[in-house]
Amino acid sequence: MTDPAHKAEDVQTVMITGAAAGIGAGVAAGFANLGANLVLADIDEEELASLDNNLTARGVDVLASRTDVTSAAGLKALVNAAVERFSGIDVLVVAAGGFSGSKTIEEVSDEEWEAGVALNLSSAFKTARAVVPVMKRARAGRIIMISSASGRMPTNVAAGVCYYAASKAGLLGLTRVLAIELGPYGVTVNAVAPGTTYTERVAKFRSLETFDRIAETVPLGRISTVEEQVGPILFLASPPARYITGATLDVNGGRLML
Ligand SMILES: NC(=O)c1ccc[n+]([C@@H]2O[C@H](COP(=O)([O-])OP(=O)(O)OC[C@H]3O[C@@H](n4cnc5c(N)ncnc54)[C@H](O)[C@@H]3O)[C@@H](O)[C@H]2O)c1
């Protein structure tokens, strides 16, 4: 439902990568509720088309594109199309990423390492690099990177895989340097580091028993819902967050306190 307090001239354009499922799809729904125009990138054409149809039926202006975030050319083409359609991009949420099971370092091949870093870290660099000129021109913008509690402090209950934790930690370094580079242009750059969040992807490789063991390490006693990750992301894009930049917002039910 569109926020009744929302004014037409405030309509924002929000670009979300990994938008077709999980946290990215939740973020798309959250910004749609605020009346934003959406630029959605994902490689899952079927899920993307279904989300596009649902949002369009609700009156949301959507540019949905099968864009692989590991392709700099694809990202550039999408950003150009978004600027042509909406004349700018106010908010970028980098949500594409993930891994599909735990492995030790000796089980990870060179190819898996390269692909894991390409998806979870280099893609964020390429996406931000494509969007930054647009935000610099506007002298305004919000960039929000979805890192992970694994990038802050992995635990032996849910350690995952080395390339994932390394990439998600790397994202925090990228966030901080971009915050310094882009601060003079009025662009904030922050990261959200979710704890384990129930999405279909995670449910495919984590057993219910593992979810229970993870929940036992969380002071709030349960893993996160997608909605509980979306709220903090919307906050970082909102006017009250205008003076926050270079920060990492831990959204993990208290599992990690820094
Ligand atoms: N779910 C969790 O427990 C959790 C915890 C911490 C951080 N995160 C992070 O949150 C983000 C979303 O995770 P999720 O669990 O919602 O995942 P998800 O798999 O449900 O959604 C990720 C989306 O990214 C898309 N995608 C994958 N590769 C892509 C590519 N090369 N180009 C474009 N799109 C691509 C997928 O098709 C999918 O739609 C990821 O960055 C993940 O690392 C998730």
Side-chain angles (χ1 to χ4, degrees):
M1 198 180 68
T2 304
D3 179 351
H6 169 78
K7 299 196 295 294
E9 63 265 30
D10 293 337
V11 171
Q12 291 216 310
T13 299
V14 182
M15 175 169 162
I16 304 160
T17 68
I23 296 173
V27 170
F31 278 109
N33 289 343
L34 297 174
N37 301 322
L38 298 179
V39 180
L40 308 179
D42 206 288
I43 45 169
D44 187 334
E45 250 169 313
E46 211 174 303
E47 285 297 316
L48 191 61
S50 150
L51 182 65
D52 184 4
N53 290 339
N54 285 342
L55 292 169
T56 305
R58 288 171 46 196
V60 183
D61 204 346
V62 181
L63 171 59
S65 159
R66 192 214 172 278
T67 298
D68 185 335
V69 292
T70 64
S71 157
L75 287 160
K76 199 158 186 276
L78 178 58
V79 168
N80 288 343
V83 170
E84 197 167 306
R85 169 99 161 253
F86 300 119
S87 58
I89 296 171
D90 303 289
V91 180
L92 167 66
V93 180
V94 173
F99 68 103
S100 53
S102 298
K103 277 186 175 181
T104 65
I105 189 167
E106 291 151 292
E107 292 165 341
V108 174
S109 66
D110 287 358
E111 292 72 23
E112 280 174 288
W113 171 272
E114 300 294 348
V117 174
L119 173 62
N120 288 290
L121 178 57
S122 307
S123 64
F125 152 70
K126 290 175 184 174
T127 309
R129 189 179 56 180
V131 172
V132 157
V134 179
M135 291 185 172
K136 277 172 88 169
R137 264 199 305 279
R139 300 197 73 83
R142 303 287 172 93
I143 298 177
I144 300 154
M145 306 285 190
I146 313 298
S147 175
S148 169
S150 323
R152 298 285 266 170
M153 193 181 77
T155 65
N156 57 0
V157 182
V161 59
C162 55
Y163 62 72
Y164 182 72
S167 297
K168 293 296 187 180
L171 263 184
L172 303 180
L174 178 66
T175 297
R176 292 170 188 141
V177 169
L178 292 186
I180 291 171
E181 278 186 29
L182 300 176
Y185 297 91
V187 177
T188 70
V189 188
N190 292 290
V192 170
T196 300
T197 302
Y198 190 87
T199 63
E200 279 180 33
R201 174 182 64 85
V202 177
K204 276 189 194 139
F205 67 88
R206 293 241 191 265
S207 64
L208 285 178
E209 193 214 350
T210 309
F211 278 134
D212 285 345
R213 285 177 54 219
I214 294 169
E216 280 167 19
T217 68
V218 178
L220 288 179
R222 58 185 176 78
I223 63 167
S224 173
T225 63
V226 164
E227 288 67 30
E228 285 163 339
Q229 299 301 324
V230 172
I233 293 165
L234 297 182
F235 164 68
L236 287 173
S238 72
R242 72 173 73 84
Y243 199 62
I244 301 174
T245 195
T248 300
L249 193 48
D250 292 302
V251 188
N252 56 42
R255 198 274 274 167
L256 168 66
M257 303 183 200
L258 290 175

